[in-house]
Amino acid sequence: MARMNLLQALNSALDTAMAADERVICFGEDVGQFGGVFRATSHLRDRYGNERCFNTPLVEQGIIGFANGLAAAGFRAVAEIQFADYIFPAFDQIVNETAKFRYRSGNEFNVGGLTIRSPYGGGISGGHYHSQSPEAYFCHTPGLKVVVPSTPENAKGLLLASIRDPDPVLFFEPKRLYRAAVGDVPEEDYTAELGRAEVLREGGDVTVLAWGAQVEVVTRAAEMAAEKGIDCEVIDLRTLLPWDVETVTRSVLKTGRLVINHEAPRTAGFGAELSATVQERCFLYLESPICRVTGLDTPFPLAHEREYMPDHLKTLAAIEQTVNF
Amino acid sequence: MARMNLLQALNSALDTAMAADERVICFGEDVGQFGGVFRATSHLRDRYGNERCFNTPLVEQGIIGFANGLAAAGFRAVAEIQFADYIFPAFDQIVNETAKFRYRSGNEFNVGGLTIRSPYGGGISGGHYHSQSPEAYFCHTPGLKVVVPSTPENAKGLLLASIRDPDPVLFFEPKRLYRAAVGDVPEEDYTAELGRAEVLREGGDVTVLAWGAQVEVVTRAAEMAAEKGIDCEVIDLRTLLPWDVETVTRSVLKTGRLVINHEAPRTAGFGAELSATVQERCFLYLESPICRVTGLDTPFPLAHEREYMPDHLKTLAAIEQTVNF
Amino acid sequence: MYAPSSVDAPRIHTPDFITESALTIPIYGMLGEDGRPYEGADPSGVAKEIVLAMHDAAVFTRLLDERMVAAQRQGRLSFYLTATGEEAATVGSAAGLEPDDMILPQYREQGALRYRGFTAAQFMDQLFATEDDLGKGRQMPVHYGSRALSYMTVSSPLATQIPQAAGYAYGQKLAGEGRCSICYFGEGAASEGDFHAALNMAAVIRCPVIFFCRNNGYAISTPVSEQYAGDGVAARGVGYGVRSIRVDGNDFLAVYLATQEARRQAVSEGVPVLIEAMTYRLGAHSTSDDPSGYRSRKEEEAWQRFDPIARIRAFMEAQGWWDAERDEALRQGYRDEILAAMKTAEAKPAPSLARLIEDVYAAPPWNLTEQYEALREQVRANPDAYPKTAGRIE
Amino acid sequence: MYAPSSVDAPRIHTPDFITESALTIPIYGMLGEDGRPYEGADPSGVAKEIVLAMHDAAVFTRLLDERMVAAQRQGRLSFYLTATGEEAATVGSAAGLEPDDMILPQYREQGALRYRGFTAAQFMDQLFATEDDLGKGRQMPVHYGSRALSYMTVSSPLATQIPQAAGYAYGQKLAGEGRCSICYFGEGAASEGDFHAALNMAAVIRCPVIFFCRNNGYAISTPVSEQYAGDGVAARGVGYGVRSIRVDGNDFLAVYLATQEARRQAVSEGVPVLIEAMTYRLGAHSTSDDPSGYRSRKEEEAWQRFDPIARIRAFMEAQGWWDAERDEALRQGYRDEILAAMKTAEAKPAPSLARLIEDVYAAPPWNLTEQYEALREQVRANPDAYPKTAGRIE
Ligand SMILES: Cc1ncc(C[n+]2csc(CCOP(=O)(O)OP(=O)(O)O)c2C)c(N)n1
Ligand SMILES: Cc1ncc(C[n+]2csc(CCOP(=O)(O)OP(=O)(O)O)c2C)c(N)n1
Ligand SMILES: [Mg+2]
Ligand SMILES: [Mg+2]
């Protein structure tokens, strides 16, 4: 065990993966000598050489196109997109290519070796283009897996699992926690299972669901609710596609209430899918409407970032409203 | 009034728009002399000249980038993307640029004059890449409007309204109906209001909601249900963003039941948003779970297209299940 | 150190712009229109067996194209797309490679696939989406693919395969087995952003990939004059620092030799190479297209004269390697084989229902399993509505 | 008719590849390192007032950059990005245009904006996201924009503005008012697919746009040697059939004259033109960056010697247009003005809460109205949590 922040945990995961398997290749804008603008790939070039960790030209569609080809050739391509806001030029390569590669070829070819890492989310005064949470776009795309860690410990385990998973994975890193989240992380090689949610806090009154950086926010809201005598069950979804329907519905069948929190705009965010599916499965058990606490239906703002964010206060209000419905 | 198929109605709308306003400019791959691979832009080049209706090089990101610039310069840019499956290379220009143009500039600049037309949907043996329904991706993007017509008559009115709307509009055309849907269409200039759903059939037992080519499918299912004594209220959503929450919730408050049909894969499709919002607003009135009849969570298949599609039979089964819950 | 102001580039003191005339790109050709080698062109580097094999594959695909267009007109097939007129470009280049070099096609390269040995039955299984299709019936006709033949499955979105080829080739270089990739694309697809990404990345990262542009004059209805304003696609290579050549794309020998040389450089030096093959799409874009709306019969007829098969046949006959009798025998044999294979494929069942949810992931997650269960019940309950699968649900 | 095999391009009969050495691109320069005109360079075409105005704008932004980097270090500002060393490229080119030509910037073109007349107060309102910011406080610092000054609001996603510039310019051409657009981008951004799309489209559709590349050696940490393998960005223009020039980007006169000539050709002939200005990013990429991780002090110092402001000042002094006293007065005046403007801006309130949901659409739809109502209640109920807006809710 070592104390690490979330970035160090990710760096440790990449280091571990590259040491264990020479077919793991890391690349992206500024990831080589510089180690990435957030330094997630620090030292990897020195340790594994420029052939296995390198800068690419500045072209996201090319990075993912290249990564698809490299993965198809049997490598474990780990591509970094510098900010999730800049993943959209690669959208075609991800949605039309990565996601459909195995299916369209009848499994003659696949890009299961691909992992796309990208920092996402707000709370860093980043405005429109350094704050977005684009996970819902990818969750509507069969063939992809979508993973979002929330702590240094699960970040390392989930990233190692993603790199080794037989399917392509989008791995969104909560950059607000890069340095803010610090915890004990095993130094050795370990994986955390994809597709599993984690119940962080058991409770009987209401289920509160989040992922990534918002897990901390809802946990805080749950603590405040506890002071008011409301007993929240807090779930960290961790994998969004495919998501852990069993853990979530089991909880809602127990509590009868669900509050979902995400940073992305409300309309057609991933909260909508969770809400729709849970009400299909728990209909007779629901005691109040499933409630979403989300970003607004605006581009991500700067001056009003605080007002925009689905913070602990809004979450607490939603919890109370849900319980008192 | 004239008998027109849906393509002719669209062509008539473009012709009307170009005749009325010389700032309407149409372009895209093969839209010039050839009139588009589906012929939606037939004769426009001859009538309005190559400056106002022209072929572009084969590059969707460029087409929409160019269109954004042209719209910012005060023109009504009507860009065609040959198939909705090929809109993804332009995703960045649409999601990061078109959608945020007005907001990010504090309304110093806007691309409200932009309309993006694109044929979408399955049922034509088009396999993965000539069948997709990508509307949900755009519905998660504040700043865009998303419109889907279902008949020749509303196609013309909605397209004219979209071209003249002060906001950028994605206009998805149900290509399965291009020649199959025929109806009376006014020859003169008229618009259909954006943001309004249409109640096609009144009924008290269950609300059935669809858009585009699926309207026909659910109508057929409603007729079959009627024979079994189930009285469906059928709604054609027409505009997906912003959608007509009032008409939909009014209906569900009356019927207590909702079946949503769309062709796109289920997970995180736009049906999820509709379901989530309706259960938030109609919770106490719902008598059975809101039910989604959708495409499968696979890429769009070829040999098994029929099996994949949310057809009238699956819709009928869902209606019965919902009513008999 | 980066210091352009101090490099010894020539200085000018008036603002003179350079134009495309700064660069002249010649065309590499071996055979004239009549199939006779140009003066100064030495065809002895192309072995007889290679010439015969190229011709053989070209004739096969020409006949396949004819047969399938007819089948589509008869309503037996939903869609087809010919490569008529472009056989020298696709077959000639495939012949210039090693068999386990990777091919990343656009969609009009049935010639290359045939050269690698794809059988009539394999073509038909894909075209008719039978249960034996390697692609499991999931894609439209002509979306072939075969791992055994190192032929990446066709994907409709244009140009996506170009940066993929760079990545694939980089993997081949890392693997160190002396292989390379070839990536085919049309001059239309070369307008996509992915083309730019690919050439630049391949040059910077040094990937052993041959970018092979089939410049056939049209992208559906769009002529090259509305596709680009420069001197074609080869002129772009220079800007990326990628070695480039323009070749007569209707000349089997020139395409073969250029590709062979490109391969040698790509593999031995670990660099990309660009080949632009000037050719012409003699047929419609696809069976959904009608070229009479955008080009003249006269233009088409003018290009008939450059028919690559006729030219190579004249060359073969002049060498004494070929005659009318052999030609007729070859053609009749293929006609029969193709027709028989088509009939066999037409009689085969579609892939079973379970294929619908396989291969989305390595293993289906809960949502797909549930959707499949529900679908199976649906098909069982309404067998008439789903005739392809109702008979044989597992 | 399209018939490349029959055009009179030269024929070759051996597969010889062309390389970038087929094309030599000179550098257009007027002033030497010391600020003295080269032999054969005639500076008389640049009026005194233009030189003074360029120098003035350059000094202003140089001082603004210094002040704001300091402010960021003091924690008064979240982010900043300097253009130090690149003033000749941005100011010189803006000076070569007409005031109502459209500018589509990347983000490092404060020089061009200042040349157009953006005031210290306007800079500060944007940087501090005050209620008077033209952008309504919605974007990070340095994302300036002004309709009045024909300066399109900066957008962070790289290269998106390049095809937009083509479209904007096409509109200008249709409007027939003799205007053009200029589009700035870095050599890093030129690797994006949008660059390729833009140059090709502008050439084919014939748009009067000046593509202006600031080649400053780096894209954050990535040096040009890892960005491209060809001869820079100008070499690409030829492939698109776009007239191109490479210019010493630290030479005000050369940039000005090249841009003026480019504008003339763009507007009179309705075509795009590409200018590659060779320069150097003397500072960090932004205040979030530390260049010591990827380049040497020595390299930076070597480039100090080409400082464009020093060179133009030497030129001005040699002409008898400038001296130390005037220089100090100018600088002190701007230092004071900038500091005062910063203090004023710091004291201003943020935009009111209602701005948060405005301008997403021309008019807010129901979902935004509802979300705003709920938010207003939320802020009212928890004023301490939302100090920027709680005080003044409408
Ligand atoms: C991204 C994308 N955009 C549009 C299309 C539709 N489309 C299919 S083929 C084609 C023309 C391609 O022309 P070219 O690359 O020259 O190849 P050719 O057909 O001439 O062999 C177009 C526009 C597509 N398949 N993918
Ligand atoms: C699409 C996109 N990808 C990545 C980034 C992150 N980014 C911001 S600036 C930059 C480097 C740009 O370099 P260059 O174009 O040379 O301009 P310079 O900073 O040198 O002026 C990068 C990678 C971005 N803003 N947009
Ligand atoms: Mg072509
Ligand atoms: Mg740069």
Side-chain angles (χ1 to χ4, degrees):
Chain A
M1 287 286 185
R3 291 300 280 182
M4 294 187 196
N5 65 27
L6 205 144
L7 264 178
Q8 291 163 327
L10 293 169
N11 185 252
S12 167
L14 293 170
D15 195 0
T16 305
M18 292 183 85
D21 180 355
E22 63 170 22
R23 296 176 88 78
V24 177
I25 315 289
C26 295
F27 50 94
E29 294 158 14
D30 303 296
V31 310
Q33 179 184 357
F34 194 50
V37 294
F38 289 104
R39 307 305 172 83
T41 54
S42 284
H43 309 302
L44 299 178
R45 194 189 76 150
D46 294 344
R47 262 175 226 154
Y48 303 103
N50 197 56
E51 292 214 316
R52 292 184 56 205
C53 178
F54 53 91
N55 286 344
T56 61
L58 209 171
V59 53
E60 292 77 12
Q61 65 193 106
I63 293 171
I64 304 303
F66 183 95
N68 276 329
L70 188 58
F75 287 80
R76 304 218 154 268
V78 183
E80 176 176 306
I81 298 293
Q82 201 162 80
F83 285 87
D85 313 70
Y86 304 135
I87 202 167
F88 301 129
F91 204 75
D92 187 52
Q93 281 286 351
I94 298 173
V95 163
N96 264 345
E97 295 291 315
T98 305
K100 300 173 175 56
F101 220 96
R102 190 194 295 271
Y103 193 77
R104 73 177 179 214
S105 73
N107 203 23
E108 290 281 290
F109 299 96
N110 76 81
V111 295
L114 174 61
T115 301
I116 302 173
R117 296 178 38 245
S118 193
Y120 86 96
I124 58 149
S125 299
H128 284 36
Y129 297 118
H130 298 82
S131 306
Q132 293 176 59
S133 297
E135 68 275 5
Y137 294 120
F138 300 100
C139 291
H140 185 46
T141 310
L144 302 177
K145 290 185 175 172
V146 179
V147 175
V148 188
S150 59
T151 67
E153 198 260 346
N154 68 35
K156 177 169 174 181
L158 289 168
L159 182 51
L160 276 163
S162 297
I163 292 170
R164 293 163 182 170
D165 193 77
D167 294 307
V169 177
L170 276 139
F171 190 86
F172 287 116
E173 301 169 358
K175 64 175 167 300
R176 184 164 93 232
L177 303 184
Y178 267 168
R179 295 194 171 79
V182 179
D184 286 333
V185 177
E187 279 160 296
E188 63 271 13
D189 191 333
Y190 66 98
T191 56
E193 194 181 341
L194 302 191
R196 282 261 162 280
E198 194 181 5
V199 179
L200 294 180
R201 178 190 173 110
E202 302 207 1
D205 293 338
V206 52
T207 304
V208 186
L209 185 61
W211 53 89
Q214 290 304 99
V215 170
E216 202 183 45
V217 170
V218 302
T219 302
R220 183 154 168 216
E223 280 158 12
M224 291 168 75
E227 283 168 26
K228 301 196 177 194
I230 301 174
D231 192 17
C232 297
E233 176 139 317
V234 176
I235 299 182
D236 174 2
L237 201 55
R238 305 208 319 193
T239 301
L240 275 61
L241 196 67
W243 60 284
D244 187 349
V245 69
E246 211 182 296
T247 299
V248 174
T249 52
R250 196 187 313 118
S251 175
V252 178
L253 290 176
K254 176 176 76 176
T255 62
R257 295 179 161 95
L258 176 60
V259 172
I260 302 163
N261 180 304
H262 61 69
E263 283 182 49
R266 163 162 322 196
T267 297
F270 195 59
E273 175 59 38
L274 297 168
S275 171
T277 295
V278 169
Q279 76 82 38
E280 285 158 17
R281 293 176 184 238
C282 305
F283 185 75
L284 294 175
Y285 296 79
L286 282 176
E287 293 177 42
S288 63
I290 298 169
C291 177
R292 290 179 286 166
V293 184
T294 68
L296 305 191
D297 284 332
T298 70
F300 201 101
L302 184 87
H304 296 143
E305 178 166 27
R306 273 215 185 176
E307 285 78 2
Y308 171 92
M309 288 290 269
D311 62 14
H312 59 288
L313 295 172
K314 294 182 190 174
T315 309
L316 177 63
I319 289 169
E320 292 185 278
Q321 194 189 309
T322 299
V323 170
N324 302 327
F325 180 75
Chain B
M1 284 288 186
R3 292 298 281 180
M4 292 188 197
N5 65 28
L6 204 144
L7 264 178
Q8 291 163 329
L10 294 168
N11 185 252
S12 168
L14 294 170
D15 194 359
T16 305
M18 293 183 86
D21 181 353
E22 63 171 22
R23 295 174 90 77
V24 177
I25 315 288
C26 295
F27 50 93
E29 294 159 15
D30 303 296
V31 310
Q33 179 184 356
F34 194 50
V37 295
F38 289 105
R39 308 305 173 84
T41 54
S42 284
H43 308 303
L44 300 178
R45 194 189 77 150
D46 294 344
R47 263 174 226 154
Y48 303 102
N50 196 57
E51 291 214 317
R52 292 184 58 204
C53 177
F54 53 88
N55 286 343
T56 62
L58 209 173
V59 54
E60 292 76 14
Q61 65 193 106
I63 293 171
I64 304 303
F66 182 94
N68 277 328
L70 187 59
F75 288 80
R76 304 217 154 268
V78 183
E80 175 176 308
I81 297 293
Q82 200 162 80
F83 286 85
D85 313 71
Y86 304 135
I87 203 167
F88 302 128
F91 204 75
D92 187 52
Q93 281 286 352
I94 299 172
V95 163
N96 264 345
E97 295 291 316
T98 305
K100 300 174 174 57
F101 220 95
R102 189 193 295 273
Y103 193 78
R104 74 178 178 214
S105 74
N107 203 23
E108 290 282 289
F109 299 96
N110 77 80
V111 295
L114 174 61
T115 302
I116 302 174
R117 298 178 37 245
S118 194
Y120 86 95
I124 59 147
S125 299
H128 284 35
Y129 297 116
H130 298 83
S131 305
Q132 292 177 58
S133 297
E135 69 275 7
Y137 294 119
F138 301 99
C139 291
H140 185 48
T141 310
L144 302 177
K145 290 185 176 173
V146 179
V147 175
V148 189
S150 60
T151 67
E153 199 262 346
N154 68 35
K156 179 170 174 181
L158 290 168
L159 182 52
L160 276 162
S162 297
I163 292 170
R164 294 163 182 171
D165 193 78
D167 294 307
V169 177
L170 276 139
F171 190 86
F172 287 117
E173 304 169 358
K175 64 176 168 298
R176 187 164 91 228
L177 302 184
Y178 265 168
R179 294 193 172 82
V182 179
D184 287 333
V185 177
E187 278 160 295
E188 65 270 14
D189 193 333
Y190 66 98
T191 56
E193 195 182 341
L194 303 190
R196 281 262 162 278
E198 193 181 7
V199 179
L200 294 180
R201 179 192 173 111
E202 301 207 359
D205 293 337
V206 51
T207 304
V208 186
L209 185 62
W211 53 87
Q214 290 305 96
V215 171
E216 201 184 47
V217 169
V218 301
T219 303
R220 185 158 166 211
E223 281 158 13
M224 292 168 75
E227 282 167 27
K228 300 193 175 194
I230 302 173
D231 192 18
C232 298
E233 178 140 315
V234 176
I235 299 182
D236 175 3
L237 201 56
R238 305 209 318 193
T239 301
L240 274 63
L241 197 67
W243 61 285
D244 186 348
V245 69
E246 210 181 295
T247 299
V248 175
T249 51
R250 195 188 314 120
S251 176
V252 178
L253 290 177
K254 176 176 77 176
T255 62
R257 297 180 159 96
L258 178 60
V259 172
I260 301 162
N261 179 304
H262 62 67
E263 282 181 51
R266 163 162 322 195
T267 297
F270 194 59
E273 175 59 37
L274 297 169
S275 172
T277 296
V278 170
Q279 75 81 38
E280 284 158 17
R281 293 174 183 239
C282 306
F283 185 75
L284 293 175
Y285 295 79
L286 281 176
E287 292 178 42
S288 62
I290 298 169
C291 176
R292 291 179 287 167
V293 184
T294 68
L296 305 190
D297 283 331
T298 68
F300 201 101
L302 184 87
H304 296 143
E305 178 166 26
R306 276 215 182 175
E307 285 78 1
Y308 171 93
M309 288 289 269
D311 61 16
H312 60 288
L313 295 172
K314 294 183 191 173
T315 309
L316 178 63
I319 290 170
E320 293 186 277
Q321 194 190 309
T322 300
V323 172
N324 302 327
F325 180 76
Chain C
M1 185 178 122
Y2 169 74
S5 297
S6 63
V7 294
D8 33 46
R11 296 273 163 167
I12 53 172
H13 308 303
T14 49
D16 303 320
F17 290 77
I18 53 168
T19 65
E20 66 209 71
S21 62
L23 191 68
T24 310
I25 301 181
I27 297 180
Y28 169 49
M30 294 292 293
L31 298 178
E33 286 177 33
D34 54 3
R36 263 190 296 180
Y38 286 106
E39 269 216 34
D42 173 14
S44 69
V46 193
K48 175 182 172 186
E49 313 81 72
I50 297 283
V51 174
L52 292 180
M54 292 194 293
H55 175 260
D56 188 289
V59 168
F60 178 91
T61 53
R62 178 71 63 96
L63 296 172
L64 177 70
D65 286 355
E66 281 172 20
R67 180 66 259 175
M68 300 324 293
V69 166
Q72 195 277 339
R73 291 220 183 95
Q74 294 165 340
R76 292 161 83 172
L77 191 63
S78 61
F79 174 88
Y80 191 73
L81 178 150
T82 73
T84 306
E86 300 182 48
E87 293 90 349
T90 58
V91 176
S93 51
L97 302 173
E98 295 299 315
D100 52 1
D101 288 336
M102 192 67 192
I103 294 179
L104 293 100
Q106 179 157 304
Y107 49 58
R108 209 183 291 283
E109 294 83 10
Q110 49 264 51
L113 180 58
R114 173 63 187 182
Y115 190 84
R116 285 267 168 104
F118 210 60
T119 66
Q122 286 178 311
F123 277 105
M124 293 302 168
D125 282 328
Q126 200 289 324
L127 292 169
F128 288 94
T130 78
E131 64 173 357
D132 293 330
D133 170 26
L134 290 175
K136 300 186 187 166
R138 294 194 182 121
Q139 288 206 84
M140 280 177 71
V142 318
H143 289 61
Y144 314 111
S146 163
R147 172 168 283 289
L149 299 180
S150 298
Y151 192 91
M152 184 79 80
T153 303
V154 170
S155 166
S156 320
L158 287 165
T160 51
Q161 80 281 11
I162 318 182
Q164 289 170 14
Y168 202 99
Y170 186 73
Q172 291 172 312
K173 183 172 170 174
L174 289 185
E177 292 161 14
R179 284 180 295 175
C180 72
S181 293
I182 191 168
C183 179
Y184 292 98
F185 52 95
E187 87 295 339
S191 292
E192 293 279 7
D194 274 0
F195 165 87
H196 176 68
L199 270 87
N200 190 42
M201 287 183 76
V204 174
I205 303 174
R206 297 178 66 86
C207 308
V209 51
I210 301 168
F211 295 113
F212 192 100
C213 178
R214 289 183 293 93
N215 188 335
N216 63 6
Y218 287 88
I220 308 186
S221 78
T222 305
V224 292
S225 59
E226 299 181 44
Q227 194 66 248
Y228 52 70
D231 180 17
V233 173
R236 295 184 196 154
V238 178
Y240 297 113
V242 173
R243 298 172 201 175
S244 305
I245 194 167
R246 175 168 287 154
V247 54
D248 180 346
N250 287 10
D251 175 343
F252 278 92
L253 302 192
V255 173
Y256 169 79
L257 289 168
T259 309
Q260 204 176 43
E261 174 59 18
R263 179 184 199 282
R264 196 191 59 71
Q265 296 186 19
V267 172
S268 67
E269 299 176 49
V271 294
V273 181
L274 171 63
I275 300 176
E276 181 180 27
M278 308 310 286
T279 178
Y280 189 84
R281 197 194 75 206
L282 279 176
H285 170 71
S286 73
T287 52
S288 311
D289 177 44
D290 172 10
S292 69
Y294 54 84
R295 70 185 191 192
S296 68
R297 259 250 165 281
K298 206 172 129 241
E299 176 184 306
E300 291 175 8
E301 278 160 17
W303 271 92
Q304 297 283 2
R305 190 155 63 90
F306 301 107
D307 183 339
I309 295 183
R311 279 161 83 188
I312 194 74
R313 182 175 161 187
F315 174 76
M316 286 160 60
E317 289 182 355
Q319 303 289 315
W321 299 344
W322 202 248
D323 56 33
E325 201 180 322
R326 267 188 270 194
D327 206 69
E328 190 41 42
L330 181 74
R331 287 171 181 266
Q332 196 51 52
Y334 280 155
R335 273 195 211 100
D336 294 347
E337 184 185 347
I338 288 166
L339 189 63
M342 179 165 87
K343 287 190 176 154
T344 305
E346 283 179 314
K348 284 189 192 177
S352 75
L353 188 64
R355 297 286 163 281
L356 178 51
I357 61 134
E358 286 171 9
D359 302 331
V360 182
Y361 296 92
W366 63 268
N367 53 330
L368 277 171
T369 311
E370 285 187 9
Q371 289 171 19
Y372 176 65
E373 295 300 330
L375 178 59
R376 202 160 58 165
E377 291 320 304
Q378 176 72 10
V379 173
R380 278 219 182 95
N382 303 276
D384 297 346
Y386 310 100
K388 274 196 190 163
T389 48
R392 1 180 261 130
I393 296 174
E394 284 113 17
Chain D
M1 185 179 121
Y2 168 75
S5 297
S6 63
V7 294
D8 34 49
R11 296 277 162 163
I12 53 170
H13 307 303
T14 48
D16 302 320
F17 289 77
I18 54 168
T19 65
E20 66 210 70
S21 60
L23 191 67
T24 309
I25 301 180
I27 298 181
Y28 168 48
M30 293 292 295
L31 299 179
E33 284 177 35
D34 53 5
R36 264 190 296 179
Y38 286 107
E39 269 216 31
D42 173 14
S44 69
V46 192
K48 177 181 171 186
E49 314 81 73
I50 297 284
V51 173
L52 292 179
M54 291 194 294
H55 174 259
D56 188 288
V59 168
F60 177 90
T61 53
R62 178 70 63 96
L63 296 172
L64 178 70
D65 286 355
E66 281 172 20
R67 182 64 259 176
M68 299 325 292
V69 166
Q72 196 277 338
R73 291 222 182 95
Q74 294 164 341
R76 293 161 80 172
L77 190 62
S78 61
F79 174 87
Y80 192 74
L81 177 149
T82 73
T84 306
E86 302 183 49
E87 293 89 349
T90 59
V91 176
S93 51
L97 302 173
E98 294 300 315
D100 53 0
D101 289 335
M102 191 67 195
I103 295 180
L104 294 100
Q106 180 158 303
Y107 48 59
R108 208 183 291 282
E109 293 83 10
Q110 48 262 51
L113 180 58
R114 173 63 186 181
Y115 190 84
R116 286 267 166 104
F118 211 59
T119 65
Q122 287 178 311
F123 277 105
M124 291 303 168
D125 282 328
Q126 199 289 324
L127 292 169
F128 288 94
T130 78
E131 63 173 358
D132 293 330
D133 171 25
L134 291 175
K136 300 186 186 166
R138 295 195 181 121
Q139 289 206 84
M140 281 177 69
V142 316
H143 289 60
Y144 314 110
S146 163
R147 172 167 284 289
L149 299 180
S150 298
Y151 193 92
M152 185 77 81
T153 304
V154 170
S155 166
S156 322
L158 288 165
T160 50
Q161 80 281 12
I162 319 181
Q164 289 170 15
Y168 202 99
Y170 187 72
Q172 291 172 312
K173 182 171 171 175
L174 289 185
E177 293 161 13
R179 285 180 295 176
C180 71
S181 293
I182 191 168
C183 179
Y184 292 98
F185 52 93
E187 87 295 339
S191 293
E192 293 279 6
D194 274 359
F195 165 87
H196 175 69
L199 270 88
N200 189 42
M201 286 183 78
V204 173
I205 302 173
R206 297 178 65 86
C207 308
V209 52
I210 301 168
F211 296 112
F212 192 101
C213 179
R214 291 183 292 93
N215 189 336
N216 64 4
Y218 288 87
I220 308 184
S221 78
T222 305
V224 292
S225 60
E226 298 180 45
Q227 194 65 251
Y228 52 70
D231 180 18
V233 173
R236 294 183 198 158
V238 179
Y240 297 113
V242 172
R243 297 171 203 176
S244 305
I245 195 167
R246 175 168 288 155
V247 55
D248 180 345
N250 287 10
D251 175 344
F252 278 92
L253 302 191
V255 172
Y256 169 78
L257 289 168
T259 308
Q260 205 176 41
E261 173 60 16
R263 180 184 198 282
R264 197 191 58 71
Q265 296 187 19
V267 172
S268 67
E269 300 177 49
V271 295
V273 181
L274 172 64
I275 300 176
E276 181 180 26
M278 308 309 287
T279 180
Y280 189 84
R281 198 194 74 208
L282 279 177
H285 169 71
S286 74
T287 52
S288 311
D289 177 44
D290 173 10
S292 70
Y294 53 84
R295 70 185 191 190
S296 68
R297 260 249 165 280
K298 205 169 131 245
E299 175 183 308
E300 291 174 8
E301 279 160 16
W303 271 92
Q304 299 281 3
R305 159 161 86 90
F306 301 107
D307 184 341
I309 295 183
R311 280 160 80 187
I312 195 73
R313 182 175 163 186
F315 173 75
M316 288 158 62
E317 290 182 353
Q319 304 288 315
W321 300 343
W322 203 249
D323 56 32
E325 202 179 319
R326 269 187 270 194
D327 206 70
E328 191 40 42
L330 181 75
R331 286 171 181 267
Q332 196 51 53
Y334 280 155
R335 273 196 208 98
D336 295 346
E337 184 186 347
I338 288 166
L339 189 62
M342 180 165 86
K343 287 189 178 153
T344 306
E346 283 178 316
K348 285 189 193 176
S352 76
L353 188 64
R355 298 285 165 279
L356 178 51
I357 61 133
E358 285 170 10
D359 302 333
V360 182
Y361 297 92
W366 62 269
N367 53 329
L368 278 171
T369 312
E370 286 187 8
Q371 289 171 21
Y372 176 64
E373 295 301 329
L375 177 60
R376 203 160 56 166
E377 290 321 303
Q378 175 72 11
V379 174
R380 279 221 181 91
N382 303 276
D384 297 346
Y386 311 101
K388 274 196 191 165
T389 48
R392 5 180 257 130
I393 296 174
E394 287 113 13

